[in-house]
Amino acid sequence: MLEVGKYHVFKVKRKSDLGFMLEADGNEVLMHFREASKEYNIGEETKAFLYYDKKNRLCATNNEVYATILTPGLLKVVNVKDEGVYLDNNTIKDVLLSKDDLPYDRSLWPVVGGELFVILKAKAKNIVAKLINREEAKKYKEGTYLEGEKTTAYLEAVNDGGYTFLTSNYNVIFVPFMMTRGNHHLGEKMEVKITKVTNNLLYGSLLLNKEKQLVNDEDIIIEYLKAHKNFMPFTAKSSSEAIELTFKISRKAFKRAYGKLYKERKINFDEKGTYLL
């Protein structure tokens, strides 16, 4: 049985008005003329990728696709619609990454030109894209980085405490919000500096060295609030463990900065948490 989303070896059976009709395992598949790498003779064999075209017809292409159901790839965003974002996989039909796999906050969605690491999933009469998560990335990881090293990486996920980036060799880098400036969205390509190396995860920063020196504890709190829709479930009474885990500063430093922001009327709080004014 032919699996969609993979390469197969086909035999050219005949030529039609639309393209070449290929055959494998008793199945006929259309290869549009513009997806054929050359003019084929009847009976000739060719290796081609199997997918569904815009009319949901099973078809094949000689093009070298960027991702399959077996191997992930870095795909570029070519369109953004209500149902999700469409990615270029070097076939006639672009691949949909559904809104169900994207953040609820649309400001975090990729924009046209952004790039995402995805793997394909075959569905009935369709192929869709799925983002690579941290566990899946481990399967394809090659090499690692040293503390202080800089590398190019792509924003793949937004978490409660920061951003998850993937490098071209599938290393995962976690960047806490406090180590960033401004807001970012999925698919952004950025330079990341490695700040800490662990067995399972790399920690990084988007700040230049000079910027990093200018970051104070008040900035850390303000940036966290901005990244979480101007609210955080923390106050000066929050536990040391929660503060240190989230903000990477001591409770004493947090309370000092928190008090200063409150006196300057930049924040307010109630029983639920803290609000940015």
Side-chain angles (χ1 to χ4, degrees):
M1 180 178 177
L2 292 178
E3 272 192 273
V4 180
K6 292 171 57 176
Y7 283 96
H8 298 274
V9 176
F10 296 92
K11 184 173 288 187
V12 179
K13 191 171 182 180
R14 66 179 187 277
K15 191 174 181 179
S16 72
D17 293 337
L18 297 176
F20 297 100
M21 296 305 300
L22 311 180
E23 190 273 333
D25 298 335
N27 297 285
E28 281 197 2
V29 176
L30 170 68
M31 181 160 67
H32 295 274
F33 285 126
R34 59 175 164 164
E35 296 212 282
S37 60
K38 67 170 192 173
E39 180 72 25
Y40 285 102
N41 297 315
I42 305 303
E44 195 171 351
E45 288 191 343
T46 182
K47 181 181 177 182
F49 178 78
L50 190 63
Y51 74 106
Y52 293 103
D53 66 10
K54 294 179 181 179
K55 294 185 177 180
N56 295 323
R57 293 174 297 199
L58 199 59
C59 61
T61 178
N62 282 147
N63 294 347
E64 185 177 347
V65 299
Y66 310 126
T68 73
I69 62 171
L70 300 176
T71 56
L74 184 63
L75 274 60
K76 184 169 288 189
V77 178
V78 293
N79 207 346
V80 179
K81 294 191 175 182
D82 289 341
E83 63 267 28
V85 299
Y86 287 88
L87 308 170
D88 174 23
N89 198 34
N90 204 24
T91 59
I92 290 176
K93 183 181 179 181
D94 298 320
V95 184
L96 173 67
L97 175 63
S98 171
K99 65 180 181 180
D100 297 333
D101 298 308
L102 292 169
Y104 179 77
D105 182 356
R106 284 196 63 159
S107 69
L108 299 175
W109 281 27
V111 298
V112 173
E115 296 174 275
L116 296 164
F117 286 99
V118 300
I119 195 163
L120 302 185
K121 300 291 182 183
K123 289 190 172 183
K125 297 289 184 180
N126 198 12
I127 292 180
V128 296
K130 296 289 183 181
L131 289 169
I132 299 296
N133 60 39
R134 185 181 300 178
E135 291 303 312
E136 289 173 321
K138 290 179 182 178
K139 303 175 187 176
Y140 309 101
K141 177 182 172 182
E142 295 180 0
T144 187
Y145 297 91
L146 301 175
E147 187 173 317
E149 193 172 354
K150 293 180 181 179
T151 185
T152 298
Y154 301 83
L155 181 51
E156 193 79 359
V158 182
N159 314 108
D160 287 339
Y163 299 111
T164 298
F165 284 83
L166 275 182
T167 66
S168 57
N169 57 357
Y170 294 96
N171 272 264
V172 177
I173 307 174
F174 180 72
V175 178
F177 288 125
M178 69 185 71
M179 304 304 286
T180 68
R181 271 287 178 269
N183 298 317
H184 302 284
H185 50 76
L186 300 191
E188 279 196 66
K189 178 181 179 181
M190 308 196 72
E191 183 179 60
V192 183
K193 181 178 180 180
I194 306 301
T195 58
K196 182 180 178 182
V197 180
T198 68
N199 291 332
N200 298 316
L201 187 63
L202 300 172
Y203 289 84
S205 170
L206 301 182
L207 303 178
L208 300 176
N209 289 335
K210 290 181 180 179
E211 289 179 318
K212 185 176 178 181
Q213 292 170 3
L214 294 175
V215 175
N216 55 38
D217 296 337
E218 296 97 85
D219 291 330
I220 291 173
I221 295 172
I222 292 296
E223 289 300 320
Y224 185 90
L225 284 163
K226 287 180 179 179
H228 291 80
K229 299 183 179 179
N230 299 331
F231 172 78
M232 64 181 185
F234 304 102
T235 67
K237 295 182 179 180
S238 297
S239 69
S240 298
E241 292 79 7
I243 289 171
E244 291 174 6
L245 179 64
T246 304
F247 299 96
K248 304 296 186 295
I249 59 176
S250 68
R251 186 169 186 268
K252 184 177 179 180
F254 178 85
K255 288 180 67 177
R256 183 169 55 244
Y258 190 92
K260 184 178 179 182
L261 291 171
Y262 181 72
K263 287 180 181 179
E264 293 173 352
R265 299 187 180 277
K266 292 181 179 179
I267 61 172
N268 202 357
F269 64 91
D270 58 22
E271 68 278 0
K272 295 181 180 179
T274 302
Y275 304 83
L276 182 65
L277 298 178

